[in-house]
Amino acid sequence: MDALVSLDQAKGRTWDMIICGSSFAAMFFLRGLPRDLNVLIIEKGPLQPHERQVAEDFQGKETVTLRNSSGHEKEWVAHSIFGGNSNCW
């Protein structure tokens, strides 16, 4: 199992499955897959230690505006970072 692969290494291999995002939900899904699959997990956010995220006020925030059925706007915040929002709890 490779921990990190470069873009060139990833392009040079064949993958049984590609998972977009490294959130808790993605990892939960990954855990249920057969162990012999060759799986690539891609993440657009950087890999940063939690201490650095806290010190820098969780850089990588993306604000997403969503209207729900009540007609009231809600502000949702997503984190583009390895581990996704679950890494920021």
Side-chain angles (χ1 to χ4, degrees):
M1 173 200 232
D2 295 322
L4 294 174
V5 295
S6 70
L7 180 58
D8 287 335
Q9 290 171 321
K11 288 192 298 186
R13 292 175 54 180
T14 300
W15 303 96
D16 297 313
M17 180 172 289
I18 298 174
I19 298 176
C20 298
S22 59
S23 68
F24 176 80
M27 296 303 100
F28 190 74
F29 177 77
L30 177 66
R31 184 158 170 82
L33 293 175
R35 300 277 184 229
D36 61 343
L37 292 181
N38 198 12
V39 179
L40 174 66
I41 302 164
I42 59 173
E43 174 61 60
K44 71 177 180 177
L47 178 61
Q48 291 185 14
H50 185 73
E51 297 80 18
R52 182 172 169 197
Q53 293 175 46
V54 172
E56 295 178 5
D57 192 29
F58 294 100
Q59 297 296 317
K61 288 183 193 175
E62 294 181 42
T63 303
V64 181
T65 303
L66 177 71
R67 289 186 185 266
N68 63 17
S69 60
S70 71
H72 298 282
E73 286 191 27
K74 293 186 176 184
E75 293 295 322
W76 297 92
V77 177
H79 294 87
S80 293
I81 194 162
F82 183 84
N85 290 317
S86 58
N87 198 28
C88 301
W89 287 352

